[in-house]
Amino acid sequence: GENVEQHPSTLSVQEGDSAVIKCTYSDSASNYFPWYKQELGKRPQLIIDIRSNVGEKKDQRIAVTLNKTAKHFSLHITETQPEDSAVYFCAAREGAGSYQLTFGKGTKLSVIP
Amino acid sequence: DSGVTQTPKHLITATGQRVTLRCSPRSGDLSVYWYQQSLDQGLQFLIQYYNGEERAKGNILERFSAQQFPDLHSELNLSSLELGDSALYFCASSVSGTGKVNTEAFFGQGTRLTVV
């Protein structure tokens, strides 16, 4: 089955700086890679996703890049704000069979005002 | 509101007991996923159902079981509960299945289970 590794587990940045979270996956058949943001005590919410036929996707201050050859994808947050503080999870979906979503262990991002 | 409804929101029970967590997926979603999130832990995949059938199993204990009913709602049954089963249990749903793969999974608000 799929295995997703996520780094770092914690990340502190100054307000206004950029934050980068990286994930690797093991199953070359995976073709959908979402990123979820989870605030304390709340449900994970999708913030951006990318499909395997695309190398990069941007949505305002958030961008995701995908390197299929290296089986690696990253989340980039620019001009960070205190409200970006949360736990971020990457995930990969199998391209066949169960279409199961496998999550990384999460990155706790703290944006220091 | 994601459209995924989980009940109850909170549950406190004693060790050895059995509980049932319920999930109603978004209208039209055929897949239901169950995840366990312990304190400061990630989302551990338990089990997935697609249109009433079990599709994938993760790290689900034998004391746990689930099912998806014809109306597509799902229940997660946890029995012989132990202190370590205390966690937030999330249900997520998506359209995904044969023919529709790359679709977003929406999470419910979760059920916080406390075993005392």
Side-chain angles (χ1 to χ4, degrees), chain A residues 59-104:
Chain A
D59 182 4
Q60 300 182 344
R61 297 187 295 108
I62 294 173
V64 57
T65 59
L66 171 66
N67 182 328
K68 283 184 62 179
T69 303
K71 290 188 278 187
H72 167 278
F73 58 114
S74 300
L75 177 72
H76 304 254
I77 306 174
T78 59
E79 300 173 19
T80 53
Q81 300 168 4
E83 51 265 38
D84 294 329
S85 296
V87 178
Y88 291 82
F89 292 96
C90 64
R93 168 169 282 153
E94 295 178 0
S98 71
Y99 308 107
Q100 170 188 331
L101 263 182
T102 301
F103 284 84

Side-chain angles (χ1 to χ4, degrees), chain B residues 3 8 27 35 49 51 55 59 63 66 75 85 102 107-108 115:
Chain B
S27 177
Y35 291 89
Y49 280 82
N51 203 20
R55 182 61 70 94
N59 299 320
R63 300 183 286 107
E75 292 181 354
D85 297 327
N102 296 328
F107 280 79
V115 182

Side-chain angles (χ1 to χ4, degrees), chain B residues 2 10-12 17 26 59 61-62 108 112:
Chain B
S2 66
H10 301 277
L11 195 51
I12 301 175
Q17 295 299 304
R26 287 191 327 149
N59 299 320
L61 300 172
E62 286 190 10
R112 183 168 295 282

Side-chain angles (χ1 to χ4, degrees), chain B residues 93-105:
Chain B
S93 77
S94 74
V95 175
S96 283
T98 303
K100 290 190 178 182
V101 178
N102 296 328
T103 59
E104 178 181 352

Side-chain angles (χ1 to χ4, degrees), chain B residues 18 21 28-29 31-32 36 48 52 60 81-82 98 101-102 108:
Chain B
R18 172 190 167 93
L21 313 183
D29 283 359
S31 274
V32 170
Q36 180 191 56
Q48 178 202 358
I60 187 167
L81 284 167
E82 302 175 358
T98 303
V101 178
N102 296 328

Side-chain angles (χ1 to χ4, degrees), chain A residues 8-56:
Chain A
S9 56
T10 60
L11 180 60
S12 291
V13 298
Q14 291 290 330
E15 182 178 358
D17 287 350
S18 295
V20 180
I21 303 171
K22 299 181 179 182
C23 290
T24 60
Y25 61 100
S26 61
D27 187 351
S28 57
S30 290
N31 58 12
Y32 173 66
F33 307 92
W35 286 88
Y36 285 81
K37 175 183 179 182
Q38 186 180 27
E39 296 176 356
L40 191 63
K42 297 190 176 180
R43 64 183 173 94
Q45 289 189 277
L46 181 78
I47 55 171
I48 195 167
D49 56 14
I50 191 167
R51 286 148 176 82
S52 58
N53 58 347
V54 175
E56 183 176 2

